[in-house]
Amino acid sequence: SAPVELVAQPVNAQILPEGEPATPMLGFNGGTPGPVLRARQGEVFDIRFQNQIGEGSAVHWHGLRIDNAMDGVPGMTQDVVEAGGEFEYSFRAPDAGTFWYHSHNRSWEQVAKGLYGPLIVEEPTPPDVDHDLIIMIDDWRITENGVLADGFENMRDQAHQGRLGNFARALVEPVTPVRRGDRVRLRLINVATDRIFPVELEGVEGKVVALDGMPIVDPQEFSGLILAPAQRADIIADVITDAPIGFVFPTRDGPYLLGEIPVKGANTTRQPSEIPALPPNEVTSPDMGSAVSLTLTMEGGAMSRRMMQGMMGGDIWAFNGQSGLTDTPLHSFERGQTARIRLVNDTRFPHGIHLHGHHFFEVGADGNLGALRDTTLVDAGETRDIVCVFDNPGNWLLHCHMLGHQAAGMKTWVEVALEHHHHHH
Ligand code: C2O
Ligand code: CU
């Protein structure tokens, strides 16, 4: 079949409330967020990306464990797609779940301007719900006349929490009312460049069934849900009141309503039932006996020694004392090798650390393997171990998904060899 056309171009978007000016932004196929890309697990996405934004770009399929050549990282997995150029992406979706796509060229600016969209991979037998809804949470730094504030590389922002907006919203797709008594699947995606969103839900009762596209074995309560930039949560929940479903961002100044889904009428036929766990995606089990141990220490930012370097034109953030991409990788793994990586946050800010091409286990305080994620939030001063089986060959980025931090040096890469790792007994 013919590829899906995905055209990056300037768009006007109604970010501010109706009646206020529209905002000149970047988007795909005429809007931001871009179109929902959807396929069944195991199917192939064929996408013809056309770049009409007037500068280089490329598209990264965040969280998908796909061939390295399709990962969309200019200078690493492909050449930048120049203004007016195009690139054909084709990849098989191995995991069912909630993913997203976004520009990976000057992402701190292109994503802030709107170059992103949702990518959904359906389970072979999707769970029994009445509505499957995508909720993209974003913030924008926007002037009163509806123009995005410039200064995308503002050093003060980069040295602190990144570019935080003054206006935030949850964008629901599709826009459709639900009924009291309906069971809904809510796919939350934090598409903001830098802001961490704690999210509270009103009007529903249910469970978190997946994180970062990977099902949770025992679905969890959603109280205390926090989404770092790029993180996702799938929730299956029942609509319990006639009031709208509310997405609330609790702030120090009180609750901030990000968005609502209207409730109209009642579903009288659905019988109460347990929230089901989703079928697991297939991942290689880690071999802890032969695991290699690594440490990744986050350094820099405001109030650090490295800040002086930043003032003199250098990078503000570093991993293990090193800013930006080096000629040699952080580590070369044999294919299939298990690694335990200690993430040490030696800074005064939280960081959301993202690995391309793989999911990894967060190791809990009890030492047990926890959720499978592609992005993990490590608070200021905190240390977190992750365990990953590096079974996808190629060169993969490992970076902070606070895109202002990434812009200012907080990135590295790993290599996974083509040959298999042989176990030694
Ligand atoms: Cu979501 Cu390297 O990116
Ligand atoms: Cu960071």
Side-chain angles (χ1 to χ4, degrees), residues 262-417:
V263 175
K264 286 205 175 77
N267 178 343
T268 51
T269 56
R270 178 172 281 279
Q271 298 300 313
S273 64
E274 284 282 297
I275 302 291
L278 296 174
N281 290 316
E282 213 177 289
V283 294
T284 314
S285 311
D287 174 6
M288 296 314 295
S290 71
V292 54
S293 289
L294 303 173
T295 299
L296 191 74
T297 303
M298 302 158 223
E299 298 157 355
M303 295 167 283
S304 77
R305 279 191 311 163
R306 185 163 288 273
M307 199 53 210
M308 273 309 290
Q309 267 165 260
M311 318 271 264
M312 294 163 70
D315 280 323
I316 299 169
W317 298 98
F319 284 137
N320 296 353
Q322 185 64 56
S323 290
L325 298 185
T326 45
D327 291 343
T328 52
L330 173 77
H331 194 83
S332 294
F333 297 98
E334 292 174 67
R335 184 176 180 183
Q337 194 168 23
T338 299
R340 182 182 185 111
I341 307 177
R342 177 151 295 173
L343 304 175
V344 180
N345 184 345
D346 192 14
T347 80
R348 296 175 187 247
F349 301 91
H351 301 286
I353 304 299
H354 171 49
L355 172 65
H356 282 220
H358 297 78
H359 275 68
F360 51 79
F361 292 96
E362 288 178 332
V363 179
D366 54 4
N368 293 330
L369 299 186
L372 263 174
R373 309 214 63 144
D374 59 49
T375 306
T376 185
L377 179 61
V378 188
D379 275 329
E382 192 190 1
T383 292
R384 150 108 23 82
D385 284 10
I386 60 171
V387 167
C388 184
V389 180
F390 286 90
D391 56 0
N392 197 358
N395 297 337
W396 303 104
L397 277 184
L398 174 61
H399 65 84
C400 182
H401 220 291
M402 277 75 168
L403 298 177
H405 295 173
Q406 185 202 359
M410 207 169 204
K411 59 181 171 186
T412 184
W413 64 289
V414 298
E415 178 181 63
V416 181

Side-chain angles (χ1 to χ4, degrees), residues 202-213:
E202 290 174 345
V204 288
E205 212 167 73
K207 298 259 170 79
V208 178
V209 294
L211 293 169
D212 293 355

